[in-house]
């Protein structure tokens, strides 16, 4: 079984806008580097290293983590999951919303990259 992703909403535009404002000195670092402890921890255990450095501090500790939401996946809603776990969650015909989030454990930068709906194919 393969997880089917649809309804993709990209947040790249908002991400670029935020970074542009930051580099122009219009937004303070504390405002955009505010990842909560649980998000940083989840990215370490469930995330994968990004193919590029952190856009704020240049650290290689930038990770991409999948965060799941939805009424149909019960207690798993609101937690970080691996691709394999998402496959398990949707295999009984359930639907989940998956947020792809990048998180830097060095400076705490975090931003939503995209949102998608996951179902079993
Ligand atoms: Zn960083």
């Amino acid at each position: 079984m393969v997880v089917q992703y649809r309804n993709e909403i990209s947040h790249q535009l908002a991400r670029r806008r935020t970074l542009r404002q930051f580099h122009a000195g219009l937004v303070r670092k504390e405002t955009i580097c505010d990842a909560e402890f649980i998000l940083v921890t989840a990215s370490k255990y469930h995330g994968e290293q990004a193919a590029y450095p952190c856009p704020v501090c240049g650290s290689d500790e930038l990770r991409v983590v999948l965060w799941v939401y939805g009424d149909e996946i019960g207690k798993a809603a609101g937690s970080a999951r691996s691709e394999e776990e998402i496959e398990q969650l949707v295999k009984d015909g359930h639907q989940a919303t998956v947020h792809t989030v990048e998180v830097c454990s060095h400076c705490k930068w975090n931003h939503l990259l995209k949102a998608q709906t996951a179902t079993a194919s």
Side-chain angles (χ1 to χ4, degrees):
M1 192 206 77
V2 179
V3 178
Q4 201 86 317
Y5 288 103
R6 53 194 174 78
N7 302 337
E8 179 176 329
I9 300 169
S10 173
H11 290 262
Q12 290 289 348
L13 222 60
R15 176 183 178 276
R16 277 203 294 274
R17 193 185 311 125
T18 299
L19 287 168
R20 208 165 43 231
Q21 289 176 337
F22 167 68
H23 290 300
L26 301 171
V27 176
R28 285 167 51 186
K29 189 162 176 281
E30 303 88 86
T31 311
I32 57 169
C33 296
D34 62 347
E36 289 176 24
F37 176 77
I38 187 168
L39 181 57
V40 175
T41 306
S43 74
K44 283 181 186 164
Y45 289 100
H46 301 279
E48 290 188 357
Q49 186 159 10
Y52 47 90
C54 172
V56 173
C57 74
S59 165
D60 289 332
E61 289 169 44
L62 186 70
R63 298 178 75 81
V64 175
V65 65
L66 303 175
W67 210 264
V68 296
Y69 299 94
D71 297 336
E72 297 181 12
I73 55 170
K75 284 190 306 223
S79 64
R81 298 285 154 169
S82 66
E83 298 259 15
E84 293 73 29
E85 288 172 316
I86 292 170
E87 194 174 309
Q88 291 301 310
L89 288 171
V90 300
K91 76 170 192 299
D92 296 325
H94 296 145
Q95 180 174 298
T97 301
V98 179
H99 284 185
T100 303
V101 183
E102 67 178 7
V103 189
C104 175
S105 60
H106 188 70
C107 74
K108 309 285 187 284
W109 155 259
N110 63 106
H111 204 283
L112 176 62
L113 298 177
K114 61 183 174 183
Q116 293 169 292
T117 304
T119 50
S121 58

